[in-house]
Amino acid sequence: MSFESLGLRPEILRAVAEQGYTEPTPIQEQAIPVVLQGRDIMAGAQTGTGKTAGFTLPLLHRMAAHASASTSPARHPVRALILTPTRELAAQVEESVRAYGKHLPLKATVIYGGVNMNPQIEALRAGIDIVVATPGRLLDHVQQRSINLSRVEFLVLDEADRMLDMGFLPDLKRIMDLLPKQRQSLLFSATFADEIKRLSDSLLRDPVLIEVARRNTAAETVTQLAYRVDQARKRDLLAHLIKSQDLRQVLVFTRTKNGADRLAHQLDRDGIRADAIHGDKTQPQRTKALSDFKEGVVRVLVATDVAARGIDIDQLPHVFNFEMPNSPEDYVHRIGRTGRAGSQGDAISLVCEEEMRMLAEIERLIKREIPKQVVAGFEPGTAPKSEESTRGRGRERAPQRRPELPPAAERHAQRAPSEGTPKPAANSHHLKQPMGHAASHGKRPQRPVAALLGGLNKKPA
Ligand code: AMP
């Protein structure tokens, strides 16, 4: 199938071609015709499937029919509202909206917390057709009357499951109350927990259900592997793997903000340029870390789960789990950072004894065994007892139980402690029926694990 056959306007086709896309991804093939018909959708698709273009392209097409070339603010009311859980995802989505809409007279902006409101107010005042926003900051603007949502025709909830996990439900309800009843609504979620179903019942009108295969069960583009290693030796092993394999653009996940800072600092000291990205960093710091990483100035980016949401770097080749995540679903989100849109990637977990149970839970969820290896010289149980003290007191502690509080939800947590804390994933369930469609898209032969390990002296666990 081609983009042309979907009936999109020439200005949009031109922008798509400029992005280098030759054919729609499965979610795009399914979602675009339905959105063009004006129907609501509930789509099960995670980041990396091309979902952003899946909703943006048809929205732009529909909006362009009544777009005004006038520069008068009055001719540019907010007609489309796209809500995302994190600032990074909001920024990413807005970048895509701009890229796909660059040949249309539609104006877009992004609004999120953690930065000065004034430039956002000015942008809104100038007249904006499409707003990409995180819920908290959007409501701040509502309160200040710097945004008017009474003319919204299109609503997108992106990563709706994450928004609920981060305690945004009350904010979402307040926002929904401000929108016209007559509108088209699109909901995207990686999982369809009961709360998502309830939300969609209250939000969507006779939605078309769209599901594409989960990347990790069908798309064979990510090579997964676990190294068993003592917690105290993880940093040395990571540095060893990066150096001996000459790995570049390595995204490393830790469970805590402190852990991310510490690891980035230590890698830097080991001669591997690294930076950390997490909720305690200011927005300019986060943006800089990300752009340094994209440009290759920084070789390793250490991130917490929340901060990494929305990071989209074309063909990000290597993802490491320095510590296993709090929930198996976070593992799926983490490895979704690599092997995107058909490119090949590696997801490597460094697993200590205490984390083996989590690894088993992950394997149950993804219905696949993750090959386990040990690297010679890093065998579990060989770390000297005095390791921690020789390395610096407590630096390589066992994973802490307290996960990072999502930055955007911190203020909610202060208001109502239960709101901002990520909930356990136990009550969410995954799309049961992958359509197997994604499996054929961009599928390439899986790189043998041996190639990944080339040059390393290893033996089976
Ligand atoms: P998303 O799931 O929207 O975050 O998109 C993941 C990545 O896929 C982004 O880097 C997009 O630029 C890329 N992408 C989206 N649509 C296509 C397409 N039809 N062909 C190739 N790459 C695409």
Side-chain angles (χ1 to χ4, degrees):
M1 180 181 271
S2 67
F3 278 105
E4 283 75 12
S5 65
L6 291 169
L8 294 164
R9 300 170 71 96
E11 298 94 326
I12 296 174
L13 293 176
R14 183 142 65 96
V16 164
E18 284 164 7
Q19 290 295 309
Y21 305 166
T22 49
E23 57 173 22
T25 65
I27 184 79
Q28 291 162 6
E29 259 179 41
Q30 293 182 60
I32 291 173
V34 178
V35 180
L36 287 176
Q37 283 167 20
R39 297 281 306 270
D40 284 5
I41 63 172
M42 168 144 167
Q46 46 190 115
T47 301
T49 52
K51 67 182 164 62
T52 314
F55 62 74
T56 305
L57 301 179
L59 279 193
L60 289 170
H61 178 99
R62 281 175 61 72
M63 293 178 76
H66 305 285
S68 168
S70 155
T71 53
S72 158
R75 305 299 299 272
H76 295 274
V78 178
R79 294 173 59 205
L81 177 63
I82 302 172
L83 294 175
T84 74
T86 64
R87 310 162 191 178
E88 277 77 16
L89 184 59
Q92 201 80 58
V93 168
E94 193 239 6
E95 215 175 277
S96 299
V97 171
R98 274 180 199 268
Y100 304 141
K102 66 199 263 202
H103 303 301
L104 294 169
L106 290 165
K107 296 201 282 177
T109 199
V110 61
I111 59 182
Y112 50 67
V115 293
N116 190 334
M117 270 181 96
N118 291 334
Q120 299 173 355
I121 293 174
E122 270 167 43
L124 290 166
R125 239 184 235 142
I128 288 291
D129 306 275
I130 303 165
V131 169
V132 187
T134 51
R137 178 52 71 93
L138 180 71
L139 283 171
D140 292 342
H141 279 282
V142 166
Q143 207 155 21
Q144 296 220 6
R145 297 181 194 281
S146 41
I147 192 165
N148 177 354
L149 299 176
S150 68
R151 300 194 41 199
V152 169
E153 300 164 43
F154 307 97
L155 169 72
V156 180
L157 292 192
D158 198 7
E159 299 198 353
D161 51 343
R162 275 286 142 166
M163 282 199 262
L164 297 193
D165 281 351
M166 290 170 68
F168 281 133
L169 186 59
D171 283 356
L172 290 179
K173 284 184 174 156
R174 285 181 59 201
I175 294 166
M176 297 315 135
D177 286 344
L178 299 166
L179 303 179
K181 296 271 167 293
Q182 194 64 35
R183 58 163 200 261
Q184 184 176 10
S185 305
L186 318 175
L187 182 149
F188 287 79
S189 182
T191 57
F192 283 168
D194 289 347
E195 293 104 318
I196 292 287
K197 294 219 180 76
R198 272 197 295 277
L199 180 70
S200 71
D201 285 346
S202 66
L203 203 84
L204 307 175
R205 260 180 328 176
D206 189 21
V208 176
L209 191 67
I210 293 175
E211 298 179 19
V212 293
R214 299 177 61 74
R215 306 186 51 78
N216 61 325
T217 51
E220 298 291 327
T221 55
V222 181
T223 305
Q224 299 176 64
L225 178 67
Y227 286 121
R228 299 192 55 191
V229 59
D230 290 335
Q231 180 68 23
R233 304 294 312 281
K234 282 185 177 181
R235 198 242 315 167
D236 285 346
L237 176 57
L238 178 65
H240 170 72
L241 293 171
I242 291 172
K243 284 183 176 167
S244 62
Q245 303 272 310
D246 194 23
L247 304 182
R248 315 252 146 200
Q249 272 209 327
V250 182
L251 180 63
V252 179
F253 283 96
T254 59
R255 287 163 54 111
T256 64
K257 302 174 202 177
N258 281 345
D261 277 337
R262 207 163 45 227
L263 181 60
H265 182 68
Q266 289 166 340
L267 288 172
D268 233 17
R269 238 183 20 203
D270 284 351
I272 299 170
R273 282 293 304 274
D275 205 346
I277 182 167
H278 56 65
D280 280 353
K281 300 260 176 178
T282 64
Q283 190 55 38
Q285 284 173 328
R286 289 158 73 158
T287 308
K288 166 119 183 19
L290 199 54
S291 75
D292 282 353
F293 182 57
K294 282 186 183 181
E295 285 160 19
V297 178
V298 161
R299 192 165 164 189
V300 177
L301 188 64
V302 188
T304 54
D305 289 284
V306 170
R309 300 294 300 169
I311 289 182
D312 176 25
I313 295 159
D314 281 342
Q315 306 188 356
L316 185 58
H318 312 287
V319 168
F320 277 83
N321 295 306
F322 188 77
E323 286 148 352
M324 299 310 274
N326 291 305
S327 80
E329 288 165 353
D330 279 338
Y331 175 86
V332 175
H333 283 291
R334 286 179 177 190
I335 74 164
R337 309 290 112 188
T338 182
R340 323 196 77 189
S343 66
Q344 183 78 51
D346 318 317
I348 298 179
S349 301
L350 307 186
V351 186
C352 65
E353 191 55 39
E354 296 75 38
E355 293 170 314
M356 287 303 285
R357 240 186 45 209
M358 176 51 86
L359 188 64
E361 277 181 43
I362 290 166
E363 290 176 326
R364 256 197 307 281
L365 175 72
I366 65 175
K367 298 189 176 62
R368 173 185 296 190
E369 196 183 336
I370 299 172
K372 290 154 207 81
Q373 306 268 345
V374 295
V375 177
F378 294 89
E379 293 87 350
T382 56
K385 283 274 174 284
S386 58
E387 186 81 9
E388 291 205 2
S389 48
T390 53
R391 299 209 154 283
R393 227 153 284 124
R395 249 195 236 125
E396 302 274 350
R397 268 172 290 146
Q400 296 164 17
R401 291 246 65 96
R402 197 166 61 81
E404 182 193 11
L405 188 64
E410 273 161 10
R411 44 191 276 271
H412 299 265
Q414 279 160 15
R415 259 188 350 226
S418 62
E419 281 179 27
T421 314
K423 294 191 200 96
N427 59 352
S428 63
H429 68 270
H430 282 268
L431 302 178
K432 292 241 168 52
Q433 278 194 315
M435 300 183 78
H437 202 153
S440 61
H441 174 74
K443 184 173 170 179
R444 296 189 190 159
Q446 189 157 356
R447 192 157 19 133
V449 165
L452 191 87
L453 299 173
L456 284 178
N457 184 8
K458 80 266 172 204
K459 57 187 180 185

